[in-house]
Amino acid sequence: MTAVLAADAALLGFARALREAGVDASAERVYAFLCAVEALGRVSDVPSSDTRPGPGMRADVYWAGRLTLCGDRDDLERYERVFAACFGDGEPVGRRPAPAPVPRLRLVLQDVESERRTPASDERGTTPTAALASSAEVLRHRDVAGLDTAEREEVRRLLAAFALHGEARRSARRRPARRGEVDPHRTVRELLRRGGEPARLRRHTRTERPRRIVLLVDVSGSMAPYADALLRFAHAAARGSRTEVFTIGTRLTRVTREMAHRDPDLAMTAVAAAVPDWRGGTRLGELLRAFLDRWGQRGMARGAIVVVLSDGWERGDPELLGAQMRRLHRLAHRVVWANPRKARPGYAPLAAGMAAALPSVDDFVEGHSLAALERLAAVVRGAGDA
C-alpha cells in the first residue's frame, strides 16, 4: 500500500509540473490519468498467451498522460518536455515502431535463475518510472545550494520545463463574443449584407493579455550558489513575448536578447559573456535607480509585475534603495521579491537592504528550490499568495 501511494504521489507531482508548464491539467483530467495508469498497469501485469509483450510502465504512463492530460496541439510539446524532465529521456516512447512486414517466430532462451524475483521486486512501487518520479519529487524541495553535480543537472532539466505567465489584464482591444456589449459596426455591416432586414445583434468583449514581467536577477558573490538556477528560471520565463530580464550586481545588464536562445546552455553561455560583474558586490539602490531612469519610467515597469531575485545584501545606502523601491512600487502593478535565504530556519529580514525594501514589496517569497520557484510562478500568475 505504501508503494502504491508513493507511485500516486509521483504521478500527481508529474501532473503538477505539467500545470506549471502551461498544460491545462484539470482535476478531472488528472483523475482520468490516474485511472488510465491503473488500468494499463493491471493489463500489463496479467499473463497473456499473446506473443507480443505488454507495454512497459514508462510507456503506460506516457500514453495515459498524453491521451488524458493534453487538450490542445500546443500541449504536446510541453508534455514531451515535462515527461522527459520527470522520467528521463529513455527510449522514444512517443513514436510507435513500424510493424514488421512479415511476422517471424524466434526461439528465446531464458535463464531460470534470472526469472526468480524477490517479493520486493514484485511491488509496483519499485518500478523505474515510480522511482524516477519520486526522486524528482524529493528534488523539488531540496535547497539548490546543497546539490551535487548530478542533482544540479537534474534540476536544470526540470527548470527547462518551466513556464511563467503574468497575471491577465483586460486590454483595450475587443473580440467577437456571444455575450457582452453590442458591437455597432459589425451589427450595421450585418444589416447591410441582409439588405436592411433585421439581423441578430453582434456583440464583443474586451480581450485579456498577460502583464509584462520584469526579472531582476542578483548575480553577486552572496548569490553565487543560486545564480545558475535563477537564470535558468529566467530563461524559461523569457520564452514568453512580454518578459524582460536584467542582472544586477555592481552593474545593471539587460540580457533579454541573450535569453532568446531556445537552448538553455547556449543562453547561459551568452549571458556569461555579456555580464561583466559575476560574483562581485551588490549596489541594489543605484542599479534600481538606473533601471527606473532608463527603462522603468519610460514604460517597461508601468503596469508590469517586477520580480527581484536577491538576498537583499546592500553595499550602498539603504535609504537610497528604500526610495527607489517606493518609486518602483508606484509604477508597477505588483512588486515581488524572492529571497533564497528566507527558507533558512530563524531567518528574519534584518539586513539593511532587505529591511529598507520590504515595505514596498507586495509579495515576499522564497527562492531556494524548485518548489519555491513554482510558488513564485503561481504568485506572478495571480493564482497564489505568498
Side-chain angles (χ1 to χ4, degrees):
M1 176 63 70
T2 304
V4 174
L5 292 177
D8 289 343
L11 296 177
L12 290 175
F14 171 56
R16 186 187 303 111
L18 284 175
R19 281 195 293 269
E20 295 299 331
V23 178
D24 186 16
S26 61
E28 293 80 5
R29 290 180 179 273
V30 174
Y31 178 74
F33 167 57
L34 295 177
C35 292
V37 172
E38 182 181 1
L40 289 174
R42 288 198 301 266
V43 171
S44 62
D45 285 344
V46 175
S48 175
S49 59
D50 189 1
T51 57
R52 294 172 301 176
M57 184 60 185
R58 186 173 183 273
D60 291 348
V61 173
Y62 176 87
W63 287 109
R66 177 162 174 162
L67 295 176
T68 57
L69 298 176
C70 296
D72 189 83
R73 184 181 296 271
D74 296 336
D75 292 341
L76 298 180
E77 181 182 356
R78 302 187 185 102
Y79 182 85
E80 297 284 351
R81 188 169 63 248
V82 176
F83 187 87
C86 289
F87 302 122
D89 295 331
E91 295 295 329
V93 296
R95 298 181 180 179
R96 296 181 178 178
V102 180
R104 297 179 179 179
L105 298 177
R106 59 178 180 175
L107 180 62
V108 179
L109 298 179
Q110 296 181 349
D111 187 4
V112 178
E113 293 297 330
S114 63
E115 296 181 354
R116 296 180 181 175
R117 299 179 298 175
T118 61
S121 64
D122 293 334
E123 297 181 2
R124 296 287 294 174
T126 59
T127 58
T129 301
L132 286 172
S134 299
S135 63
E137 183 69 17
V138 172
L139 193 60
R140 288 178 57 252
H141 299 276
R142 292 279 305 279
D143 194 315
V144 175
L147 302 181
D148 57 28
T149 303
E151 291 170 336
R152 287 182 180 274
E153 289 297 329
E154 184 66 19
V155 165
R156 290 171 180 174
R157 290 176 54 191
L158 294 173
L159 284 172
F162 260 70
L164 185 64
H165 304 284
E167 182 179 348
R169 68 175 180 85
R170 299 180 65 188
S171 67
R173 295 182 178 272
R174 298 177 182 270
R175 61 175 178 83
R178 293 183 178 181
R179 298 180 180 179
E181 300 178 359
V182 176
D183 187 346
H185 300 288
R186 293 178 61 238
T187 301
V188 170
R189 286 198 297 268
E190 183 69 16
L191 287 172
L192 293 176
R193 279 196 296 268
R194 293 174 174 267
E197 294 293 331
R200 186 179 63 180
L201 293 177
R202 301 294 179 177
R203 301 180 181 275
H204 59 187
T205 186
R206 291 184 181 274
T207 60
E208 291 187 351
R209 62 185 307 184
R211 292 183 179 274
R212 179 187 291 109
I213 302 174
V214 181
L215 300 176
L216 304 177
V217 184
D218 191 343
V219 295
S220 62
S222 60
M223 287 289 292
Y226 303 96
D228 180 77
L230 295 180
L231 285 172
R232 289 178 182 271
F233 172 79
H235 173 262
R239 287 196 294 261
S241 59
R242 295 176 59 81
T243 303
E244 296 285 343
V245 184
F246 294 81
T247 62
I248 52 179
T250 57
R251 298 185 183 183
L252 177 70
T253 308
R254 186 182 185 183
V255 293
T256 305
R257 180 177 300 179
E258 287 74 12
M259 290 288 183
H261 291 283
R262 296 189 62 181
D263 185 87
D265 294 329
L266 292 179
M268 294 303 103
T269 302
V271 170
V275 177
D277 55 336
W278 285 97
R279 300 192 177 187
T282 312
R283 297 185 300 161
L284 296 177
E286 296 179 22
L287 298 185
L288 190 56
R289 179 173 60 185
F291 164 75
L292 292 173
D293 290 344
R294 186 172 179 180
W295 288 287
Q297 195 76 37
R298 297 182 180 181
M300 184 179 291
R302 293 183 182 273
I305 301 175
V306 181
V307 182
V308 183
L309 300 109
S310 172
D311 56 4
W313 289 97
E314 170 67 303
R315 289 177 52 185
D317 186 4
E319 295 183 1
L320 174 62
L321 175 59
Q324 298 307 311
M325 286 295 297
R326 291 190 293 271
R327 182 183 170 192
L328 174 63
H329 192 265
R330 290 192 296 266
L331 289 173
H333 173 69
R334 292 176 73 186
V335 178
V336 182
W337 195 297
N339 189 336
R341 314 288 180 181
K342 185 176 184 291
R344 297 186 176 181
Y347 171 83
L350 301 179
M354 195 71 255
L358 204 55
S360 301
V361 173
D362 295 306
D363 298 282
F364 186 44
V365 300
E366 302 171 356
H368 67 294
S369 64
L370 287 173
L373 294 178
E374 290 174 3
R375 290 192 292 271
L376 170 61
V379 170
V380 172
R381 193 171 59 249
D385 298 324

